[in-house]
Amino acid sequence: MAFTQTYDRLHVACLTKDQHRQTCGYWYTVTSNSTPHTAFRTPAALLRWLEDRGLSLASPLPEDCGVHASISIDGAYRTASHMSYDEFYRTGGFHTRLMDNARYTRAIISEDADGLRTVHHLNCNCRERPAYGHEESRQLEDMGAPPFAFYPEA
Protein backbone atom coordinates (compact mmCIF):
# COMPACT_ATOMS: atom_id res chain seq x y z
CA MET A 1 0.00 0.00 0.00
CA ALA A 2 1.29 3.45 -0.92
CA PHE A 3 1.60 6.45 1.38
CA THR A 4 -0.76 9.01 -0.14
CA GLN A 5 -0.91 12.73 0.54
CA THR A 6 -3.30 15.37 -0.83
CA TYR A 7 -2.16 18.90 -1.67
CA ASP A 8 -4.72 21.68 -1.76
CA ARG A 9 -4.99 25.39 -1.01
CA LEU A 10 -2.16 25.82 -3.50
CA HIS A 11 -0.73 29.23 -4.25
CA VAL A 12 2.01 30.57 -6.56
CA ALA A 13 4.21 33.57 -5.80
CA CYS A 14 5.92 35.29 -8.72
CA LEU A 15 9.18 36.61 -7.35
CA THR A 16 10.75 40.02 -7.83
CA LYS A 17 14.32 40.32 -9.10
CA ASP A 18 15.58 40.82 -5.53
CA GLN A 19 13.71 37.74 -4.30
CA HIS A 20 14.94 35.74 -7.31
CA ARG A 21 18.57 36.54 -6.45
CA GLN A 22 18.07 34.84 -3.07
CA THR A 23 17.01 31.52 -4.64
CA CYS A 24 18.65 28.84 -6.74
CA GLY A 25 17.38 30.52 -9.91
CA TYR A 26 13.66 30.26 -9.17
CA TRP A 27 11.11 32.83 -10.37
CA TYR A 28 8.02 31.03 -9.05
CA THR A 29 7.37 29.35 -5.70
CA VAL A 30 4.35 27.23 -4.81
CA THR A 31 2.90 26.70 -1.36
CA SER A 32 0.26 24.26 -0.13
CA ASN A 33 -1.66 25.30 2.97
CA SER A 34 0.93 28.09 3.44
CA THR A 35 3.79 25.54 3.54
CA PRO A 36 6.58 25.58 0.91
CA HIS A 37 5.87 22.95 -1.74
CA THR A 38 7.92 23.41 -4.96
CA ALA A 39 9.57 26.04 -7.14
CA PHE A 40 10.27 26.69 -10.83
CA ARG A 41 12.84 28.54 -12.92
CA THR A 42 10.61 29.15 -15.96
CA PRO A 43 6.96 29.91 -16.62
CA ALA A 44 6.88 26.93 -19.01
CA ALA A 45 7.96 24.57 -16.21
CA LEU A 46 5.30 25.95 -13.85
CA LEU A 47 2.55 25.72 -16.47
CA ARG A 48 3.52 22.12 -17.41
CA TRP A 49 3.50 21.14 -13.70
CA LEU A 50 0.00 22.63 -13.31
CA GLU A 51 -1.31 20.95 -16.48
CA ASP A 52 0.07 17.52 -15.56
CA ARG A 53 -1.70 17.69 -12.20
CA GLY A 54 -4.99 19.01 -13.59
CA LEU A 55 -4.56 22.39 -11.88
CA SER A 56 -5.06 25.93 -13.18
CA LEU A 57 -4.20 29.47 -12.17
CA ALA A 58 -7.00 31.71 -10.89
CA SER A 59 -5.47 34.56 -12.93
CA PRO A 60 -2.71 34.78 -15.57
CA LEU A 61 0.99 35.02 -14.77
CA PRO A 62 2.61 38.43 -15.29
CA GLU A 63 4.06 38.70 -18.80
CA ASP A 64 7.60 39.32 -17.51
CA CYS A 65 9.66 37.50 -14.88
CA GLY A 66 10.51 39.74 -11.95
CA VAL A 67 7.03 41.24 -11.62
CA HIS A 68 5.58 40.38 -8.23
CA ALA A 69 2.24 38.59 -8.18
CA SER A 70 0.40 36.30 -5.83
CA ILE A 71 -1.98 33.88 -7.56
CA SER A 72 -4.25 31.15 -6.22
CA ILE A 73 -4.16 27.76 -7.91
CA ASP A 74 -7.51 26.14 -8.58
CA GLY A 75 -7.71 22.44 -7.75
CA ALA A 76 -5.90 19.83 -5.71
CA TYR A 77 -3.83 16.74 -6.39
CA ARG A 78 -2.28 13.78 -4.59
CA THR A 79 1.07 12.04 -4.39
CA ALA A 80 1.49 8.33 -3.72
CA SER A 81 4.85 6.96 -2.59
CA HIS A 82 5.05 3.22 -3.34
CA MET A 83 7.24 0.61 -1.66
CA SER A 84 6.02 -2.12 -4.02
CA TYR A 85 7.51 -2.19 -7.52
CA ASP A 86 4.63 -4.34 -8.76
CA GLU A 87 1.99 -1.96 -7.42
CA PHE A 88 3.79 1.05 -8.88
CA TYR A 89 4.30 -0.40 -12.36
CA ARG A 90 0.67 -1.62 -12.52
CA THR A 91 -0.48 2.00 -12.13
CA GLY A 92 -2.22 3.29 -15.24
CA GLY A 93 -1.58 6.80 -16.45
CA PHE A 94 1.09 8.80 -18.22
CA HIS A 95 4.76 8.62 -17.38
CA THR A 96 6.95 11.61 -16.56
CA ARG A 97 9.79 12.53 -14.19
CA LEU A 98 9.60 13.82 -10.65
CA MET A 99 12.17 15.33 -8.31
CA ASP A 100 12.07 13.30 -5.09
CA ASN A 101 14.70 13.19 -2.37
CA ALA A 102 17.16 15.20 -4.52
CA ARG A 103 16.84 12.81 -7.49
CA TYR A 104 14.83 12.80 -10.67
CA THR A 105 12.89 9.56 -10.87
CA ARG A 106 10.02 8.05 -12.87
CA ALA A 107 6.51 9.11 -11.99
CA ILE A 108 3.14 7.94 -13.26
CA ILE A 109 0.24 10.38 -13.13
CA SER A 110 -3.23 8.86 -12.93
CA GLU A 111 -6.69 10.36 -12.68
CA ASP A 112 -8.78 9.04 -9.80
CA ALA A 113 -12.54 8.41 -9.76
CA ASP A 114 -13.06 11.66 -7.82
CA GLY A 115 -11.37 13.66 -10.61
CA LEU A 116 -8.13 14.39 -8.75
CA ARG A 117 -4.84 13.34 -10.28
CA THR A 118 -2.31 11.32 -8.33
CA VAL A 119 1.44 11.48 -8.94
CA HIS A 120 2.80 7.99 -8.19
CA HIS A 121 6.49 7.30 -7.59
CA LEU A 122 8.68 4.69 -5.95
CA ASN A 123 9.78 5.52 -2.42
CA CYS A 124 13.39 6.71 -2.17
CA ASN A 125 14.21 3.56 -0.13
CA CYS A 126 13.47 1.32 -3.13
CA ARG A 127 16.96 0.36 -4.24
CA GLU A 128 16.05 -0.24 -7.87
CA ARG A 129 14.01 2.87 -8.54
CA PRO A 130 15.09 4.60 -11.73
CA ALA A 131 17.13 7.80 -11.48
CA TYR A 132 17.79 10.30 -14.27
CA GLY A 133 20.50 12.90 -14.79
CA HIS A 134 19.91 16.31 -13.28
CA GLU A 135 21.09 18.35 -16.27
CA GLU A 136 18.94 16.59 -18.87
CA SER A 137 15.91 16.51 -16.54
CA ARG A 138 16.31 20.17 -15.61
CA GLN A 139 16.52 21.20 -19.28
CA LEU A 140 13.37 19.25 -20.14
CA GLU A 141 11.59 20.71 -17.11
CA ASP A 142 12.65 24.31 -17.81
CA MET A 143 11.32 24.19 -21.36
CA GLY A 144 8.00 22.75 -20.12
CA ALA A 145 8.47 19.54 -22.09
CA PRO A 146 5.36 17.37 -22.37
CA PRO A 147 5.54 13.96 -20.68
CA PHE A 148 6.32 12.15 -23.95
CA ALA A 149 9.56 14.14 -24.21
CA PHE A 150 10.69 12.46 -21.01
CA TYR A 151 9.86 9.03 -22.45
CA PRO A 152 9.94 9.15 -26.27
CA GLU A 153 9.36 5.39 -26.49
CA ALA A 154 5.97 5.69 -24.74
Side-chain angles (χ1 to χ4, degrees), residues 83-139:
M83 288 298 297
S84 165
Y85 296 99
D86 291 338
E87 182 181 301
F88 173 72
Y89 285 111
R90 275 196 311 267
T91 302
F94 64 90
H95 292 234
T96 188
R97 294 183 192 187
L98 166 79
M99 171 62 82
D100 177 63
N101 201 40
R103 293 218 124 138
Y104 282 94
T105 189
R106 183 176 292 247
I108 302 171
I109 301 179
S110 66
E111 188 162 332
D112 299 336
D114 63 2
L116 291 186
R117 292 189 184 170
T118 299
V119 181
H120 302 265
H121 64 93
L122 288 167
N123 182 282
C124 62
N125 293 310
C126 293
R127 292 179 189 212
E128 295 178 28
R129 87 174 184 163
Y132 305 100
H134 276 250
E135 190 59 34
E136 176 197 26
S137 298
R138 199 173 295 131
Q139 287 174 357

Side-chain angles (χ1 to χ4, degrees), residues 20-83:
H20 167 75
R21 280 192 281 276
Q22 297 175 37
T23 72
C24 298
Y26 299 122
W27 285 105
Y28 308 95
T29 61
V30 175
T31 58
S32 172
N33 289 295
S34 302
T35 301
H37 187 59
T38 191
F40 302 94
R41 288 176 292 278
T42 66
L46 169 62
L47 294 172
R48 168 55 57 195
W49 181 85
L50 291 165
E51 184 178 331
D52 288 352
R53 285 151 183 79
L55 307 170
S56 60
L57 294 172
S59 60
L61 291 174
E63 288 188 30
D64 298 318
C65 288
V67 175
H68 181 265
S70 181
I71 304 168
S72 293
I73 297 173
D74 295 328
Y77 80 101
R78 296 182 184 96
T79 59
S81 180
H82 296 265
M83 288 298 297

